[in-house]
Amino acid sequence: MAESSAEHPEPQAPRRRRRPATAREVKALGHPLRLRILRLCLTSELTNRQLADRLDTNPGTVLHHVRTLVDAGLLVAAPVRTGAAGALEKPYRATGESWWLDDPLGGLPDEQRTSPVTAFTQEIDEAGPAAVRSFSRFALHLSDEDLAELDRRILAVLDEYVATEDQRLDRPVYGGAFVLHRPSGEEPGRGPES
């Protein structure tokens, strides 16, 4: 591969835009197990059996969730392959489309809005404490406009990386989450020493 230069810059990935989630996509993203299936199938094509083994869940339960994700267009069947024992296997892969959904949790009932946080903590627990590479915790006083600007700027940086992910497939994979929440019992306008 030729190096990029000022004369011949590396081509940029086409600019993707966020879009509203469909009702099927919202429903599909409302369960932590489905989010974990998407994460696993984003980096590897996995069969229903492989997913069940990795998630320590029975294959029937996994198949139900796989079908929901396929129906929503967030998971697709990869080409059938021959497994180690010679049997034909039907693997699945994530489309990556869930990243480009604008506020997909907005349509979920309150009890399902934390599904991504639940899935993420399960992944961290499974990977173990040594897997954590970076951590930042903060508290910021923000107006609605400040919050929207912070969210827009952080997503713009992450969008650049997601849109060019295919250029870095030879590098180690990292997972992450960005969550903003209102702490319980906090009142607006009070400083940290009040």
Side-chain angles (χ1 to χ4, degrees):
M1 185 161 115
E3 289 186 30
S4 64
S5 67
E7 246 177 58
H8 302 291
E10 267 192 45
Q12 296 294 315
R15 176 95 169 115
R16 295 262 336 243
R17 299 253 186 244
R18 293 183 174 279
R19 64 172 179 78
T22 66
R24 278 188 178 175
E25 290 166 336
V26 169
K27 178 185 175 200
L29 296 172
H31 196 285
L33 189 60
R34 289 195 283 267
L35 295 173
R36 295 199 60 207
I37 290 168
L38 285 177
R39 173 74 65 211
L40 289 170
C41 290
L42 190 59
T43 55
S44 301
E45 292 180 352
L46 299 170
T47 66
N48 191 65
R49 168 56 70 187
Q50 290 169 321
L51 287 165
D53 290 346
R54 291 278 302 268
L55 296 166
D56 196 25
T57 306
N58 88 45
T61 299
V62 171
L63 184 59
H64 164 75
H65 292 296
V66 163
R67 286 179 176 159
T68 300
L69 291 165
V70 168
D71 288 346
L74 302 175
L75 198 67
V76 294
V80 174
R81 64 186 184 207
T82 303
L88 294 180
E89 297 180 336
K90 184 179 179 181
Y92 296 90
R93 66 177 168 77
T95 62
E97 195 61 30
S98 62
W99 176 260
W100 300 104
L101 301 178
D102 189 27
D103 191 23
L105 302 180
L108 289 174
D110 287 346
E111 63 274 6
Q112 291 178 312
R113 289 181 60 86
T114 58
S115 294
V117 176
T118 302
F120 185 70
T121 56
Q122 289 171 348
E123 291 168 1
I124 292 290
D125 289 345
E126 182 181 288
V132 176
R133 297 288 186 244
S134 177
F135 177 80
S136 299
R137 188 171 162 124
F138 53 87
L140 302 170
H141 288 85
L142 303 170
S143 67
D144 288 344
E145 293 78 18
D146 295 334
L147 179 62
E149 177 65 8
L150 177 64
D151 190 47
R152 185 197 63 74
R153 290 171 65 185
I154 288 171
L155 285 177
V157 170
L158 293 173
D159 283 351
E160 288 179 37
Y161 279 89
V162 170
T164 59
E165 176 64 8
D166 61 328
Q167 298 171 18
R168 294 182 305 281
L169 297 178
D170 61 329
R171 300 174 191 166
V173 65
Y174 288 89
F178 177 69
V179 178
L180 288 173
H181 71 98
R182 291 290 307 267
S184 175
E186 295 288 326
E187 295 178 27
R190 296 190 59 184
E193 297 177 17
S194 298

